[in-house]
Amino acid sequence: MLRNNGEDKGMIHMLTLLSNAVGFILDMLIGDPRRIPHPVIFIGRLISALEKRLRKIFPKTDKGEFAAGVILGISVPLTAFLISGGILFLCYKINVILWFLLHTFWAFQIPASKGLNYESRKVYSALKNGDIPDARLKLSYLVGRETSQLNEEEIAKACVETVAENTSDGITAPMFYMMIGGVPLGFFYKAVNTLDSMVGYRNEEYEHLGKFSASLDDVMNFIPSRICGLLMIASSFILRLNTKNSAKIFVRDRKKHLSPNSAQTESAVSGALGIQLGGTHTYFGKTVEKPTIGDELRKAECYDIVRADRIMLCASVLSVILFGMLRFLILKG
């Protein structure tokens, strides 16, 4: 039995750190278990159900839809936080080992390093085999833009972009929040990120309803994306890529995006590989003009996807080491 409340809290803090690290390693090695429903599926269902309900309640005006969007953007992440936190609290009251096992399992499900690597390699394999239609199809599962008319170079660039962006969104950002507040805060972040992917569009349907969710996602990714960009520069050094150019393009182009966060990682990867990313794309039949990121020192090729994956994996490992060390030092202090 623990002697006092201070020791109890100290143990939980250290177990949280260990649990997050073990969960991350399991995700790197195994990836999402396909036969077990992922918590994000339930978050997505909650978003869809609540969106339909709120659209019926609130008037179909700009202000009405924005108010509905605020409720949606607050209630879904808070629900994810409270439910996961409540279940973990009950497990802890029963047995700390039960708490640790469940926390570790959820910490294993939240990041997506293996999944991102696996899906991007499908695009690479199709390109390597010269199957452009299949590469376009595989890429369409990863990006929101229109892929049916992309050539080999454009497919490679699009895949590199999504790997770079999702390194922060899908791996380093959730690890950042899990190291701060454990799995419940990790689920809060995943709910915000899922909201952004489902309703955070600037189109007629979601311009007002999704505005709050998109803004909240930008806020929550503000610090993690910048840390991730710096870790990608460090990764380019470890992987013997163009570190000097990575740092140069990061400083110069990290704000050249419609999103305040996406170019943080895209610029670092673009510079490390010596290729140019960004530019005009088509989303849902609408042409969206974007600034270019990086200098075209050479044409993008399919193997750049592999290089981007290596940067992603290296930066992810560095993020866990960095965030883990910071948590340990803060707790120790």
Side-chain angles (χ1 to χ4, degrees), residues 11-170:
M11 181 192 71
I12 289 297
H13 285 315
M14 293 307 297
L15 286 178
T16 299
L17 173 58
L18 177 61
S19 175
N20 289 338
V22 172
F24 173 78
I25 293 171
L26 289 174
D27 175 65
M28 288 274 288
L29 297 175
I30 302 172
D32 291 331
R34 306 254 175 195
R35 296 184 179 181
I36 301 176
H38 197 284
V40 171
I41 294 175
F42 299 107
I43 292 173
R45 290 175 181 173
L46 176 61
I47 292 170
S48 297
L50 191 55
E51 178 192 343
K52 291 179 182 178
R53 184 68 176 171
L54 290 170
R55 284 187 183 277
K56 291 180 180 179
I57 296 173
F58 285 84
K60 292 178 175 56
T61 62
D62 294 353
K63 290 183 177 179
E65 290 189 354
F66 179 75
V70 171
I71 294 176
L72 180 68
I74 293 175
S75 59
V76 173
L78 195 58
T79 298
F81 177 85
L82 292 175
I83 290 178
S84 59
I87 293 173
L88 284 167
F89 179 76
L90 291 175
C91 289
Y92 174 73
K93 287 298 183 181
I94 296 171
N95 189 290
V96 70
I97 296 177
L98 179 62
W99 172 90
F100 180 81
L101 291 175
L102 180 59
H103 192 282
T104 302
F105 178 70
W106 276 341
F108 155 55
Q109 286 190 299
I110 289 176
S113 57
K114 180 75 172 183
L116 182 57
N117 182 66
Y118 179 73
E119 295 300 327
S120 61
R121 288 302 178 96
K122 287 182 180 179
V123 180
Y124 165 71
S125 296
L127 282 180
K128 185 181 179 182
N129 294 328
D131 193 341
I132 301 298
D134 188 46
R136 290 169 177 162
L137 177 64
K138 297 294 192 301
L139 178 65
S140 69
Y141 301 145
L142 286 171
V143 301
R145 76 180 68 168
E146 174 61 50
T147 64
S148 62
Q149 303 300 317
L150 299 183
N151 59 33
E152 180 177 351
E153 181 189 1
E154 291 169 333
I155 292 170
K157 289 168 68 174
C159 194
V160 168
E161 284 181 24
T162 197
V163 168
E165 182 177 356
N166 283 290
T167 301
S168 177
D169 289 355

